[in-house]
Amino acid sequence: MANRLLSHLLASAALVPSLTLASPGAAPLVPRTWEGRSYGCKCYFGDACWPKQKDWKDLNSTVNGNLAVIIPPEAACHNFFNGTLGAIQTYDAAKCADVTTNYPREEWINAQDATLMWKYFTNSSCVPTTDAATPCTPGYYGTYVIRAKTKQHVKAGLDFARKKNLRLIVRNTGHDFMGRSTGWGALVINTHSFQDVKFEKKWKGGPSGGYSGSTVTIGAGVRGRDLLRQAAQQNPPVTVVTGECPTVGVAGGFVQGGGHGPLTTIFGFAADNALSFDIITADGKYLTVNEKKHPDLFYGLKGGGPGNYGIVVTASFKTFAERPSAGAQLYINSTLTTNMTLYWDGVRIFHSHANNFVDAGLYVYFSVGPGSMRVRPLVAFNQTAAQLDAVLAPLKADLTAAGVPFWSAPAGQYATFFDLYLDLFEDESAGPPTLTSGWMIAREDIASNNDGIIEAFQTAISPRADLENRGYMVGHLFGAGHGPQPVDVSATNPRFRVSSNLMLYLLPLPTDATWAQKADIQNLLANTVDRAFRDASPNGCAYVNEADPFQDNWQDHFWGPSVYPKLKMLKKKWDPSGLFYAIALPGTENWDVIEYGTRLCKKL
Ligand SMILES: Cc1cc2nc3c(=O)[nH]c(=O)nc-3n(C[C@H](O)[C@H](O)[C@H](O)COP(=O)(O)OP(=O)(O)OC[C@H]3O[C@@H](n4cnc5c(N)ncnc54)[C@H](O)[C@@H]3O)c2cc1C
Ligand SMILES: *[C@@H]1O[C@H](CO)[C@@H](O)[C@H](O)[C@H]1NC(C)=O
Ligand SMILES: *[C@@H]1O[C@H](CO)[C@@H](O)[C@H](O)[C@H]1NC(C)=O
Ligand SMILES: *[C@@H]1O[C@H](CO)[C@@H](O)[C@H](O)[C@H]1NC(C)=O
Ligand SMILES: *[C@@H]1O[C@H](CO)[C@@H](O)[C@H](O)[C@H]1NC(C)=O
Ligand SMILES: *[C@@H]1O[C@H](CO)[C@@H](O)[C@H](O)[C@H]1NC(C)=O
Ligand SMILES: *[C@@H]1O[C@H](CO)[C@@H](O)[C@H](O)[C@H]1NC(C)=O
């Protein structure tokens, strides 16, 4: 709720002296009071319980010297990094130039210890600059990182965090839209070294609902395009359900949140195709989970929310035979028309075809900004260019009949889906501080209320008089229920199976936004833009990885009444003390991040 954020403005912290509470079976929480409420908090730097130098040293030897203090790379542009462990000199002109150039690049961000795509969630407290005298502080970054190279390193970090009552963060690629891969003062376990990939023609890895076809087993850090590239090199070439974004991980937040991508219309979510996970549980056990071994955990890892039940070390997925595929593009922009009435007519007509596209087996990625719609690409897996052109013909005829100018070229034919992927999907870049939300629009609402849905689009682009044309949107047409997947194969919301468009909407904030400005934009997102989408598509749902975590009823929107209670039980069973936490995940209702986005605490 935006109110949670807002109320932070109105109160101040009252500190309670240093006694610690012992709760049975869990590390002691640190008592604090905030806004008149009693909390038990994780242990942070400055608390008496914070590990001693020797403890960190021992941890460092357990992880073979792979423990490091988190210093944002941007610190190279500043004289000092003033971290929790004191000020250190960091200025380095060459490194600063390098950081400044690479700052928006996904590949570079992925490779860092803790850097995020969405800087809003770092509190933008250390940014590239030409003025080295400006401050560089940790913001919402963690304090230490383990650059894990083995599963033993992951376990060592997990056990240390549990025993010492530290905030624990798993950071894979740093893509998360809600800041779930960072936490103030946390111990971070970075998993991007886990790059093993093993393809097999026949699944031999355990019970799998009778599936015996081809599979791949990947390490936690493997990213989408890297996986697809290796899949395309198999003989015969295969493919996998990954994200549209080339650099999103596959076994981390992606599959654990559900995981949709260009093949979802044909093969379902990544979660629908998972066969087995090797994980480390909150109590430090290595477990293999599949259909028969710990089926409740298996279910929860398939869409029940990222990083909530265990740390995934490896995951196995079905693979599918590569097929020739067709791709197309269609743009309406200011070169073609500056008449906004015509432009929105074009968007409306395009969107009225969403259900037809999904029925024809398509996946479509598109963006809608002020006066510019860019549909790139439309993907037809296992179809010819002629088939795709035939699917698009009614759309083009409708646009022409309405006098809407558009650009498109005949559909392109590709020997494989991977060739299409390389040609038509682009790297995305990290931009200025942004808040993101999204809504999955139901088929029946597109059929009955397309005009209302386009009004919600307009609200997202111009949510308020002072923010005219400041919004931006990205849409994904897919039908997770188009293929043969049973509705309950994964812990994804069943409403996804009867929906056609996952719409994301983004609102920018100033880099130096005050708390009042942040609360204002958060409130606008939740109470104006989200509301517009929910009202326009009441039968839709929301995607845990790509939606506003402060929305009301996130339990219902993310999972719904048939799935959520199972996940809440799962959390209670496998992580009763709350070692794993991220916002708006099952069973985290009793936890809050208090004191202006810093301490993670349990309500007492
Ligand atoms: C540009 C962009 C494009 C995107 N495109 C798509 C898309 O096409 N389809 C889609 O479904 N989603 C997409 N997403 C959303 C994406 O799925 C989520 O951001 C997802 O959380 C990323 O997971 P990650 O592991 O790569 O990232 P991280 O940000 O590193 O981690 C995300 C979350 O997963 C947890 N986590 C990571 N690794 C592990 C692990 N090994 N074990 C346990 N928990 C772990 C983290 O703690 C965190 O909570 C996109 C996001 C961005 C920014
Ligand atoms: C951990 O050990 C390595 C290797 O000795 C060292 O380089 C590194 O600085 C140590 N980390 C911390 C946090 O002290
Ligand atoms: C950071 O530390 C340096 C060196 O101690 C000090 O001069 C500077 O004022 C500090 N900056 C901030 C923002 O605390
Ligand atoms: C976060 O940024 C705000 C300013 O927007 C600042 O007041 C606050 O101290 C910062 N918090 C941290 C932990 O950096
Ligand atoms: C509009 O799209 C056309 C076709 O791709 C492109 O050539 C043109 O540069 C675009 N105009 C703008 C303003 O982006
Ligand atoms: C914009 O297009 C609409 C719909 O075709 C038309 O009625 C209107 O006159 C146009 N406006 C301008 C300024 O050309
Ligand atoms: C690909 O298309 C052919 C012919 O239409 C069909 O027989 C086959 O099942 C399809 N394969 C997949 C994986 O969709």
Side-chain angles (χ1 to χ4, degrees):
M1 257 297 287
N3 286 349
R4 244 200 275 169
L5 198 62
L6 257 175
S7 57
H8 288 172
L9 301 169
L10 308 170
S12 61
L15 306 187
V16 168
S18 62
L19 74 144
T20 47
L21 298 171
S23 70
L29 298 169
V30 180
R32 288 183 89 81
T33 303
W34 173 250
E35 297 175 351
R37 187 194 270 276
S38 296
Y39 285 98
C41 301
K42 299 279 181 186
C43 182
Y44 290 100
F45 183 80
D47 292 335
C49 51
W50 182 252
K52 306 280 169 289
Q53 218 34 56
K54 160 136 189 2
D55 301 322
W56 291 109
K57 216 169 160 231
D58 291 348
L59 176 63
N60 199 8
S61 27
T62 312
V63 300
N64 305 112
N66 285 294
L67 180 75
V69 172
I70 295 176
I71 302 173
E74 300 90 318
C77 301
H78 301 260
N79 291 330
F80 291 98
F81 171 63
N82 299 61
T84 39
L85 308 178
I88 55 170
Q89 279 189 313
T90 45
Y91 187 77
D92 178 334
K95 209 175 152 209
C96 172
D98 185 55
V99 169
T100 307
T101 308
N102 282 307
Y103 203 52
R105 294 186 184 156
E106 289 184 330
E107 294 265 0
W108 179 84
I109 292 168
N110 297 160
Q112 306 306 312
D113 285 335
T115 304
L116 300 192
M117 278 281 283
W118 305 98
K119 302 296 189 295
Y120 177 80
F121 301 100
T122 73
N123 210 25
S124 306
S125 299
C126 185
V127 296
T129 175
T130 50
D131 180 0
T134 54
C136 167
T137 59
Y140 299 153
Y141 280 120
T143 299
Y144 287 98
V145 59
I146 295 175
R147 298 162 177 158
K149 303 291 187 302
T150 66
K151 66 179 183 182
Q152 288 79 11
H153 296 166
V154 176
K155 177 176 154 55
L158 180 154
D159 286 340
F160 190 82
R162 182 185 61 250
K163 286 178 195 152
K164 305 286 184 189
N165 181 33
L166 306 183
R167 173 110 190 240
L168 176 65
I169 293 288
V170 182
R171 192 275 192 191
N172 188 22
T173 67
H175 261 287
D176 197 276
F177 275 114
M178 271 98 251
R180 289 195 179 103
S181 37
T182 197
W184 181 80
L187 171 61
V188 176
I189 299 177
N190 182 310
T191 58
H192 73 231
S193 296
F194 290 73
Q195 293 295 331
D196 286 350
V197 177
K198 187 167 179 233
F199 290 92
E200 283 180 301
K201 295 210 170 13
K202 293 272 167 232
W203 173 244
K204 303 186 230 44
S208 59
Y211 181 81
S212 60
S214 60
T215 63
V216 67
T217 297
I218 61 172
V222 175
R223 294 170 302 180
R225 183 169 51 202
D226 297 341
L227 177 58
L228 290 177
R229 177 171 288 116
Q230 296 182 57
Q233 288 162 358
Q234 301 306 301
N235 182 19
V238 292
T239 192
V240 191
V241 177
T242 69
E244 112 344 271
C245 174
T247 59
V248 164
V250 181
F254 177 74
V255 65
Q256 294 171 47
H260 62 83
L263 300 179
T264 292
T265 303
I266 308 297
F267 301 119
F269 288 108
D272 300 345
N273 293 295
L275 296 166
S276 183
F277 295 94
D278 285 342
I279 70 164
I280 306 174
T281 58
D283 60 359
K285 288 202 180 67
Y286 297 110
L287 287 188
T288 296
V289 307
N290 60 34
E291 191 207 4
K292 292 276 155 60
K293 285 189 211 157
H294 311 293
D296 58 342
L297 259 185
F298 182 51
Y299 178 75
L301 290 166
K302 296 187 298 178
N308 203 31
Y309 314 100
I311 302 183
V312 171
V313 180
T314 63
S316 303
F317 297 92
K318 295 179 189 175
T319 63
F320 305 96
E322 257 288 14
R323 299 293 304 154
S325 298
Q329 304 172 55
L330 187 147
Y331 296 174
I332 303 173
N333 64 26
S334 60
T335 308
L336 299 155
T337 181
T338 52
N339 180 330
M340 284 302 116
T341 310
L342 269 184
Y343 171 70
W344 284 109
D345 283 348
V347 176
R348 191 175 299 110
I349 290 167
F350 163 73
H351 199 261
S352 72
H353 287 262
N355 292 341
N356 306 342
F357 291 161
V358 166
D359 290 339
L362 267 49
Y363 165 91
V364 182
Y365 182 79
F366 64 102
S367 62
V368 177
S372 173
M373 178 172 76
R374 193 165 181 267
V375 185
R376 174 187 174 146
L378 297 110
V379 177
F381 179 78
N382 195 28
Q383 294 190 44
T384 62
Q387 281 172 300
L388 178 54
D389 277 332
V391 172
L392 298 186
L395 165 65
K396 293 180 185 175
D398 285 355
L399 289 171
T400 304
V404 178
F406 64 92
W407 173 87
S408 76
Q413 182 72 56
Y414 297 87
T416 62
F417 163 71
F418 186 59
D419 290 336
L420 181 160
Y421 189 86
L422 287 183
D423 194 38
L424 294 179
F425 286 94
E426 302 157 295
D427 277 20
E428 289 149 64
S429 58
T434 303
L435 280 175
T436 305
S437 188
W439 191 247
M440 183 84 202
I441 303 173
R443 292 178 64 95
E444 62 180 290
D445 298 325
I446 296 173
S448 66
N449 188 32
N450 192 55
D451 290 1
I453 291 165
I454 301 307
E455 281 170 31
F457 282 25
Q458 290 165 333
T459 301
I461 297 289
S462 297
R464 205 167 59 192
D466 62 317
L467 290 168
E468 215 174 317
N469 290 334
R470 298 293 308 284
Y472 187 77
M473 279 184 285
V474 171
H476 314 69
L477 307 185
F478 62 81
H482 173 83
Q485 294 75 32
V487 164
D488 59 353
V489 65
S490 60
T492 48
N493 194 327
R495 279 178 271 177
F496 277 113
R497 312 288 168 172
V498 290
S499 299
S500 292
N501 179 15
L502 176 61
M503 209 64 205
L504 267 54
Y505 24 95
L506 292 78
L507 286 177
L509 292 109
T511 301
D512 55 356
T514 61
W515 270 94
Q517 283 173 307
K518 290 176 182 178
D520 172 50
I521 298 295
Q522 176 60 58
N523 182 45
L524 187 68
L525 192 67
N527 293 321
T528 300
V529 191
D530 275 342
R531 188 150 307 268
F533 275 86
R534 264 185 258 167
D535 289 349
S537 179
N539 298 296
C541 64
Y543 178 40
V544 59
N545 283 344
E546 302 185 307
D548 176 12
F550 289 99
Q551 66 187 278
D552 291 327
N553 297 334
W554 53 263
Q555 297 89 338
D556 183 48
H557 298 149
F558 293 164
W559 290 286
S562 63
V563 177
Y564 190 76
K566 296 187 213 167
L567 298 176
K568 200 168 174 182
M569 265 169 56
L570 190 59
K571 178 71 173 173
K572 212 171 166 180
K573 177 173 162 194
W574 289 96
D575 184 22
S577 70
L579 177 64
F580 305 121
Y581 169 87
I583 189 163
L585 296 181
T588 58
E589 287 86 349
N590 287 332
W591 292 85
D592 275 336
V593 174
I594 65 168
E595 299 177 24
Y596 302 103
T598 58
R599 281 170 208 266
L600 173 62
C601 305
K602 189 177 186 179
K603 294 172 200 157
L604 296 179

